[in-house]
Amino acid sequence: LYKKVIIIVIKTFKHCFSGTRFRPLSFEVPKPLFPVAGVPMLQHHIEACAKVPNMKEILLIGFYQPNEELNRFLLNAQQEFKISIRYLQEYAALGTGGGIYHFRDQIVSGSPEAFFVLNADVCSAFPLTEMLRFQKEHGEPNSFVILGTTANRKQSMNYGCIVENEETNEVLHYVEKPSTFVSDIINCGIYLFNPDIFQHIGAVFQKNQQDMLLYPYDGEEPTNGWHRAEAIRLEQDIFTALAGQGKLYVYKTLSFWSQIKSAGSAIYASRLYLNQYHTTHPERLATNKEGSPKITGNVYIHPTANIDPTAVLGPNVSIGTGVTIGAGVRVRESIILHGANLQDHCCVLNSIVGWDSTIGKWARVEGTPSDPNPNDPYAKIDSETLFREGKLTPSITILGCNVTIPSEVIILNSIVLPHKDLNRGFKNQIIL
């Protein structure tokens, strides 16, 4: 494998840190730091990167104003993984290609032979070492690799679609979110590049600059041509052009992969990561023992949580720091965040309970899972729309931070914004 590898965890879409589809949870924490299977979403990326031989540095690139929480995460991650981790802030949302092009000098310093680009809002086994080996064995030494997986025909059109040469795995054709079926191989948002990629991005940048001069923008936004010329998308602007030129290859993974676009998909991602812990982090999985709650399936419990031994947890449950769970509580397919209090005999199913929220005795908080079709091995989680035909789409129930649910009420398929003290039950509503 390569002697010098730099790993870049990147997500330059403006929605990643702002998390508009992740509200109300993204009000309290940037979406990439939301805990999935007990640790921040980004930590799964960093753990995978830290296992790659000869890895030099991790750069996080995004259009987000860093705050104390992000700085604390970076400091803790550097100490835990013994590697340099830096956050580079874009001056504007520059797209997946524009972000790395803007910081290309930072990336190529130290002369890396190869580097990865990973989108932050994906859940994956991250077969990075396998991608390095694949790149060595396929195509030209300066080829680029996309991680791909298989989706069903209908869902494939929601992703970037890849047509490959089945013998060489070269990408012959690439289309981002086509209107008709193109291929069942989809782009996973995980790439392996070498510094030559910047020549191709630079050519798009130059063309954008020329187009700005020929067709100046006369709208209300500032007419800063360089600003908009640097907004470049890897998928539409680079991969589409590189396809069929012997430069771009696809490595298809059989391991798990999913997007984390909405809060509902975070519960599904948590299930995938908890299942992976059997091989990667068995110490994170709770076990049945005397004096502890009954565990069913895969469950993560933070050591600071205080849980009554008569509670029943699982499958697919993640319990955060300082959580209190009373006698006879039942939790299934849910994420319980820092400081939440689940009082005696309440029931939480298919829900996310926000920071410092309280669920009263004998209350029931329940949502509707939005999981992929279990009978279709290639099904992916659907990108939910919040409303369908004017009505709230049934999905998981989300309680924002510091929400109080009274005793003996039912909250079903609802989203409760932060700091709400409810006095009755709700069904299929957004409680503002």
Side-chain angles (χ1 to χ4, degrees):
L1 298 180
Y2 291 109
K3 295 178 182 178
K4 292 181 181 178
V5 179
I6 183 169
I7 311 292
I8 295 146
V9 180
I10 174 178
K11 177 63 169 165
T12 54
F13 294 151
K14 61 185 178 182
H15 299 305
C16 184
F17 276 103
S18 61
T20 51
R21 280 184 280 186
F22 219 69
R23 293 173 180 166
L25 302 170
S26 57
F27 289 149
E28 308 304 319
V29 63
K31 178 180 163 185
L33 299 186
F34 181 82
V36 177
V39 301
M41 194 188 298
L42 265 182
Q43 185 165 326
H44 296 287
H45 296 64
I46 292 173
E47 287 179 355
C49 293
K51 295 177 182 177
V52 176
N54 304 313
M55 201 261 295
K56 177 189 171 189
E57 185 177 33
I58 296 174
L59 302 177
L60 310 181
I61 301 176
F63 175 46
Y64 172 75
Q65 181 67 38
N67 60 10
E68 184 180 345
E69 187 157 19
L70 177 60
N71 293 334
R72 186 167 56 247
F73 168 76
L74 295 177
L75 181 63
N76 292 338
Q78 284 191 102
Q79 291 173 344
E80 180 175 353
F81 298 104
K82 306 293 189 293
I83 183 120
S84 170
I85 304 174
R86 292 187 291 141
Y87 177 67
L88 305 177
Q89 183 188 359
E90 300 170 327
Y91 66 91
L94 297 177
T96 47
I100 62 172
Y101 187 69
H102 182 66
F103 291 109
R104 60 194 179 280
D105 290 342
Q106 302 263 19
I107 294 170
V108 300
S109 65
S111 304
E113 296 178 53
F115 63 93
F116 286 96
V117 172
L118 294 80
N119 284 323
D121 62 352
V122 297
C123 155
S124 174
F126 298 111
L128 305 181
T129 304
E130 292 89 333
M131 290 176 70
L132 280 169
R133 191 172 293 114
F134 173 88
Q135 188 189 45
K136 282 286 192 180
E137 296 170 355
H138 288 70
E140 299 294 323
N142 294 328
S143 62
F144 314 122
V145 180
I146 301 176
L147 182 68
T149 192
T150 305
N152 62 36
R153 286 179 64 98
K154 181 180 178 182
Q155 290 181 320
S156 68
M157 293 184 288
N158 296 322
Y159 301 89
C161 293
I162 300 167
V163 178
E164 67 162 348
N165 179 322
E166 293 185 3
E167 294 182 2
T168 65
N169 303 116
E170 182 194 345
V171 176
L172 301 177
H173 188 51
Y174 182 91
V175 186
E176 185 70 18
K177 296 182 181 178
S179 55
T180 57
F181 176 76
V182 171
S183 168
D184 59 1
I185 304 171
I186 62 170
N187 175 5
C188 291
I190 299 170
Y191 316 123
L192 174 57
F193 295 138
N194 60 67
D196 283 2
I197 192 69
F198 294 122
Q199 296 178 17
H200 300 281
I201 301 176
V204 173
F205 172 58
Q206 296 289 340
K207 181 180 181 300
N208 288 351
Q209 278 189 316
Q210 292 171 3
D211 289 346
M212 297 305 303
L213 293 172
L214 290 172
Y215 309 104
Y217 181 73
D218 57 0
E220 296 179 0
E221 295 180 12
T223 55
N224 183 337
W226 188 84
H227 172 126
R228 284 176 286 121
E230 205 185 21
I232 298 167
R233 304 160 299 180
L234 280 173
E235 296 78 13
Q236 294 96 319
D237 299 329
I238 306 300
F239 296 159
T240 301
L242 284 176
Q245 295 188 14
K247 284 278 189 182
L248 194 59
Y249 291 78
V250 57
Y251 174 75
K252 291 173 291 184
T253 179
L254 299 176
S255 299
F256 70 88
W257 177 86
S258 180
Q259 286 185 318
I260 310 179
K261 294 292 187 184
S262 63
S265 55
I267 290 182
Y268 178 63
S270 185
R271 182 193 308 164
L272 297 175
Y273 279 135
L274 286 170
N275 191 55
Q276 187 192 35
Y277 283 172
H278 284 285
T279 52
T280 59
H281 292 285
E283 74 283 356
R284 290 183 183 169
L285 293 173
T287 56
N288 283 298
K289 50 190 175 184
E290 192 174 345
S292 296
K294 182 180 179 182
I295 304 299
T296 303
N298 299 327
V299 175
Y300 169 87
I301 301 175
H302 193 275
T304 60
N306 180 18
I307 304 177
D308 190 279
T310 61
V312 180
L313 310 177
N316 184 22
V317 168
S318 176
I319 307 294
T321 57
V323 169
T324 301
I325 296 181
V329 170
R330 180 71 175 99
V331 184
R332 187 180 76 209
E333 296 284 341
S334 297
I335 296 174
I336 314 299
L337 296 169
H338 167 88
N341 182 6
L342 279 54
Q343 296 180 356
D344 297 353
H345 305 292
C346 71
C347 182
V348 179
L349 311 174
N350 302 301
S351 300
I352 295 178
V353 178
W355 301 266
D356 299 313
S357 289
T358 299
I359 300 177
K361 296 179 180 179
W362 296 99
R364 185 181 185 92
V365 175
E366 183 174 357
T368 301
S370 51
D371 297 344
N373 181 355
N375 299 315
D376 182 351
Y378 300 125
K380 307 302 177 191
I381 197 162
D382 284 318
S383 295
E384 319 147 338
T385 53
L386 201 56
F387 295 95
R388 186 176 297 143
E389 298 178 356
K391 297 180 180 179
L392 185 67
T393 307
S395 184
I396 69 162
T397 287
I398 304 171
L399 307 184
C401 78
N402 200 25
V403 168
T404 300
I405 306 296
S407 299
E408 301 181 20
V409 303
I410 297 176
I411 306 296
L412 180 65
N413 296 337
S414 295
I415 298 173
V416 185
L417 268 66
H419 309 292
K420 297 298 173 187
D421 194 346
L422 305 187
N423 55 16
R424 62 179 179 87
F426 290 89
K427 178 181 179 180
N428 300 332
Q429 292 192 44
I430 298 178
I431 302 154
L432 301 173

